[in-house]
Amino acid sequence: MNMPIEIAKKLRELSESRRDKVRAVVQRHVNACRRLGIEPENMERVWGEAIEAVQIDDHYPEKLSEKWPEWEPIRKYDVYESPKAA
């Protein structure tokens, strides 16, 4: 997978285990795009967000599963709930 020089520099600064996790996140994204029949766009952003996700998730190791390679970033997406009529 090709990546910009700036992203490659950030990736080199990570430990080997973090680099593996970042690569897994990016590969999962690319595979999902292929399954949907679309070309991945803005790979610089994908790499950057994968690096950030791994760094954030590694700050909370007690929440991560030790079952590598089943590792996934921890995510919580707030879902909008419409106001309830009384």
Side-chain angles (χ1 to χ4, degrees):
M1 288 181 263
N2 295 331
M3 70 183 82
I5 294 171
E6 296 166 6
I7 297 298
K9 182 180 174 184
K10 286 182 184 179
L11 200 58
R12 279 193 303 270
E13 293 171 357
L14 299 176
S15 67
E16 187 62 35
S17 65
R18 283 186 176 179
R19 280 190 293 245
D20 290 341
K21 290 177 182 180
V22 169
R23 288 183 190 116
V25 170
V26 171
Q27 189 62 51
R28 190 175 303 127
H29 173 79
V30 170
N31 291 343
C33 289
R34 288 181 182 154
R35 279 193 307 274
L36 294 172
I38 59 173
E39 284 295 316
E41 292 183 12
N42 199 351
M43 288 305 293
E44 181 175 356
R45 183 174 176 187
V46 172
W47 279 100
E49 289 180 3
I51 290 169
E52 289 176 11
V54 168
Q55 289 173 332
I56 289 169
D57 289 344
D58 281 351
H59 285 292
Y60 304 100
E62 67 277 0
K63 294 182 180 179
L64 294 178
S65 169
E66 296 298 321
K67 299 179 181 178
W68 177 254
E70 296 175 16
W71 175 89
E72 285 187 35
I74 297 170
R75 297 282 189 276
K76 179 181 178 189
Y77 297 102
D78 294 325
V79 178
Y80 174 78
E81 292 184 29
S82 63
K84 296 180 176 153

